[in-house]
Amino acid sequence: MAQAILDVMPGASTGTVQVSDPLNFWAGKRVEPRQQKNAEPVFEPATGDCFFLLGSRWEKREKIAKLEVINNGKSITEALVDIDIAWQCIEYYAGLAGALAGQHVQLPGGAFAYTRREPLGVCVGIGAWNYPFQIAAWKSAPALACGNAMVFKPSPFTPVTAVILAEIYKEAGVPDGLFCVVQGGAETGTILCQHPKVAKVSFTGSVPTGKKVMEMSAKGVKQVTLELGGKSPLIIFKDCDLENAVRGALMANFLTQGQVCCNGTRVFVQKDIMPQFLEEVVKRTKAILVGDPLLDSTRMGALINKPHLEKVLGFVSQAKLQGARVLCGGERFVPSDPKLVNGYFMSPCVLDNCRDDMTCVKEEIFGPVMSVLPFDTEEEVVQRANNTTFGLASGVFTRDISRAHRVAENLEAGTCFINNYNISPVEVPFGGYKMSGFGRENGQVTIEYYSQLKTVVVEMGDVDNYF
Ligand SMILES: NC(=O)c1ccc[n+]([C@@H]2O[C@H](COP(=O)([O-])OP(=O)(O)OC[C@H]3O[C@@H](n4cnc5c(N)ncnc54)[C@H](O)[C@@H]3O)[C@@H](O)[C@H]2O)c1
Ligand SMILES: O=CCc1c[nH]c2ccc(O)cc12
């Protein structure tokens, strides 16, 4: 397998960084495994060496989280959670590896068959920039547990922490070549998807790129998992626990500066409780501390880059033109700290007066912008919630347990959160309906997406001969 992966990417080995994209500031550098005990995670631009950490698991967690903050701009509080979810994912699939099993089928005359779960071969993982370390873990852990090799390409905007994951695997004894990180953008991704020795592509990113990945995979008859975008509905009924519903709406919209695929950005609120909901959600949104993502007190860091910040602000301007009312935020935010004045910060935004036909309600913004929409009845809101080409996630807040399960059943989405939002335990499958993609990450089912079934048929008697 190690040889196969080297064939796919000549020159690649665990921890090697290859780049074809000028955006990548680690261009062509090799990342060496660290030698020093308790070394700080430092990058030496002059040599390209990255000395990374020994030390306790706890110390490593902190250092990786700090790197993820530098990589992505999210708050250290969230980055620590991301690292925890990643190691939990790796431990989970390491545990499942020993439990992979086939089936025994008894056949007439003492014959029998059995099935074996076998690896696919070399799998390619292509990641988005919003959860760089976590996405690398969510893809590589099940891939390796099933006996595959993986070539992983992070987003060129966040090249750093996938390499750290490669280091960790290496340190844990994963043979050279079994998990490789290859840096680059669309061109590199295309080469990987088209390579004849690649058996499967697992892609996380936008719908337009996902379509291209699917087309390329189809040409090579490769299996493909697509984790794409969303415009998920969060439905808040008047009988909810309002305090929890408001907390849920914040969790559904503002994690990672709103750059979360499954965010519940269409917040449907039953008309009777709209005033109370808006008052509380706006109060809490205004209180979100935006700024230095490395500070423990910060709750919202910086968006990924300038063009993306401008795009998100553009959605807010367009929403205003289309009749939405900005209740708070939606502006560029300049922190008082002089070293942060050029950062890509914005104030989290709540939009009221929204209609289903507005761009801010129809399109994925991928920024901290919540659109609030009033509704009257359950039937009406479910129909409106489903009126989208996306189907990644959904949420419902209600105290009526029958209603909760009925709504969950009727929503066209891969996940429905009842009385919570945006929790992603590794034991639970995650993935989309409709144009949000297919295949699943996490949970036992993902084993099916990284393995193939061989049937072995065993004759115990003589061969029946018709000739
Ligand atoms: N469903 C999920 O699990 C999930 C998770 C995170 C992000 N997302 C989605 O990702 C999008 C934001 O991420 P993004 O801007 O990085 O997405 P993107 O589609 O621009 O890029 C994703 C990855 O694909 C690579 N790529 C670009 N063109 C390619 C090509 N032609 N062939 C192969 N690879 C190519 C990029 O370099 C990057 O690594 C949003 O739509 C978001 O909803 C989905
Ligand atoms: O952004 C979408 C949700 C999410 C959070 N972490 C991960 C990791 C891998 C994914 O495919 C999606 C997500």
Side-chain angles (χ1 to χ4, degrees):
M1 190 57 68
Q3 189 51 50
I5 209 161
L6 291 173
D7 290 346
V8 170
M9 268 291 137
S13 68
T14 307
T16 299
V17 179
Q18 290 194 333
V19 185
S20 65
D21 193 312
L23 282 168
N24 185 340
F25 58 90
W26 277 11
K29 303 296 183 186
R30 188 175 160 77
V31 178
E32 296 295 345
R34 90 292 337 126
Q35 304 297 337
Q36 304 142 281
K37 207 161 194 230
N38 296 326
E40 282 299 311
V42 289
F43 173 64
E44 297 285 347
T47 60
D49 289 339
C50 174
F51 298 103
F52 201 59
L53 72 162
L54 280 179
S56 68
R57 176 187 265 226
W58 198 251
E59 287 164 338
K60 283 182 180 172
R61 169 185 182 262
E62 301 258 335
K63 288 171 180 173
I64 303 165
K66 202 170 163 188
L67 278 183
E68 191 73 320
V69 172
I70 295 163
N71 204 19
N72 167 275
K74 65 175 72 189
S75 73
I76 186 75
T77 305
E78 281 193 48
L80 285 164
V81 176
D82 289 4
I83 309 313
D84 288 342
I85 291 176
W87 69 251
Q88 285 161 12
C89 174
I90 293 166
E91 285 200 350
Y92 175 77
Y93 285 107
L96 276 190
L100 296 185
Q103 207 189 1
H104 173 98
V105 184
Q106 200 61 53
L107 298 172
F112 65 96
Y114 62 92
T115 57
R116 297 164 44 87
R117 275 226 166 262
E118 295 187 348
L120 297 170
V122 179
C123 300
V124 159
I126 297 179
W129 43 259
N130 59 341
Y131 284 86
F133 191 74
Q134 215 183 89
I135 290 176
W138 281 21
K139 294 191 188 305
S140 60
L144 298 192
C146 292
N148 303 288
M150 175 162 270
V151 179
F152 184 81
K153 191 197 83 58
S155 165
F157 300 119
T158 50
V160 181
T161 46
V163 181
I164 299 305
L165 183 63
E167 295 242 309
I168 290 167
Y169 280 137
K170 192 180 175 88
E171 194 179 306
V174 170
D176 264 2
L178 217 55
F179 178 73
C180 291
V181 176
V182 177
Q183 303 283 6
E187 192 193 344
T188 308
T190 303
I191 292 169
L192 291 172
C193 293
Q194 290 178 338
H195 198 287
K197 283 199 175 165
V198 167
K200 183 211 163 91
V201 182
S202 176
F203 172 81
T204 297
S206 63
V207 174
T209 312
K211 286 181 185 173
K212 289 183 196 161
V213 167
M214 193 170 163
E215 271 173 29
M216 291 187 278
S217 305
K219 287 202 176 115
V221 197
K222 299 178 202 309
Q223 298 199 27
V224 56
T225 293
L226 296 179
E227 295 283 358
L228 309 179
K231 191 74 198 177
S232 300
L234 169 59
I235 305 174
I236 300 178
F237 286 96
K238 65 181 178 192
D239 69 344
C240 69
D241 174 333
L242 190 62
E243 166 79 18
N244 272 323
V246 169
R247 285 190 204 158
L250 299 176
M251 287 296 286
N253 279 274
F254 298 139
L255 289 174
T256 306
Q257 298 75 248
Q259 303 162 136
V260 183
C261 53
C262 43
N263 268 359
T265 46
R266 290 184 293 143
V267 181
F268 293 96
V269 179
Q270 206 158 19
K271 273 183 186 152
D272 320 53
I273 57 162
M274 183 62 98
Q276 302 96 295
F277 174 82
L278 284 178
E279 187 186 340
E280 198 52 30
V281 93
V282 169
K283 190 174 92 191
R284 298 245 188 152
T285 303
K286 283 180 175 167
I288 293 172
L289 218 57
V290 184
D292 186 345
L294 285 167
L295 295 179
D296 287 340
S297 54
T298 296
R299 286 293 168 271
M300 188 176 284
L303 276 74
I304 190 69
N305 53 35
K306 193 164 179 228
H308 189 63
L309 171 66
E310 283 165 359
K311 189 174 157 197
V312 174
L313 293 173
F315 271 111
V316 177
S317 306
Q318 194 179 13
K320 282 196 261 185
L321 288 175
Q322 292 179 348
R325 190 167 50 206
V326 178
L327 296 184
C328 63
E331 290 170 341
R332 179 141 196 224
F333 177 79
V334 183
S336 51
D337 183 341
K339 73 175 184 294
L340 300 178
V341 291
N342 293 320
Y344 311 126
F345 299 95
M346 73 172 275
S347 48
C349 177
V350 178
L351 296 175
D352 174 31
N353 236 11
C354 296
R355 294 185 317 271
D356 293 0
D357 64 343
M358 286 177 175
T359 310
C360 65
V361 178
K362 290 200 319 206
E363 288 184 21
E364 183 182 45
I365 298 177
F366 224 53
V369 183
M370 175 194 305
S371 297
V372 184
L373 302 131
F375 75 92
D376 284 307
T377 67
E378 178 184 323
E379 195 186 5
E380 167 216 333
V381 78
V382 168
Q383 185 272 323
R384 288 169 63 196
N386 287 335
N387 188 17
T388 168
T389 55
F390 294 114
L392 192 52
S394 59
V396 55
F397 275 83
T398 177
R399 285 193 172 95
D400 179 341
I401 189 143
S402 304
R403 185 200 291 278
H405 292 289
R406 191 168 57 238
V407 169
E409 182 182 344
N410 289 325
L411 287 172
E412 296 162 359
T415 297
C416 182
F417 299 99
I418 296 177
N419 293 331
N420 206 338
Y421 208 95
N422 264 345
I423 47 170
S424 43
V426 61
E427 299 84 358
V428 175
F430 178 86
Y433 277 18
K434 301 199 282 191
M435 285 179 89
S436 292
F438 52 76
R440 290 292 177 267
E441 291 189 318
N442 288 345
Q444 286 191 28
V445 70
T446 297
I447 295 299
E448 313 245 342
Y449 296 103
Y450 281 104
S451 61
Q452 53 194 337
L453 214 54
K454 178 175 282 171
T455 301
V456 181
V457 183
V458 185
E459 179 58 67
M460 300 297 284
D462 292 331
V463 175
D464 246 353
N465 186 4
Y466 300 156
F467 308 103

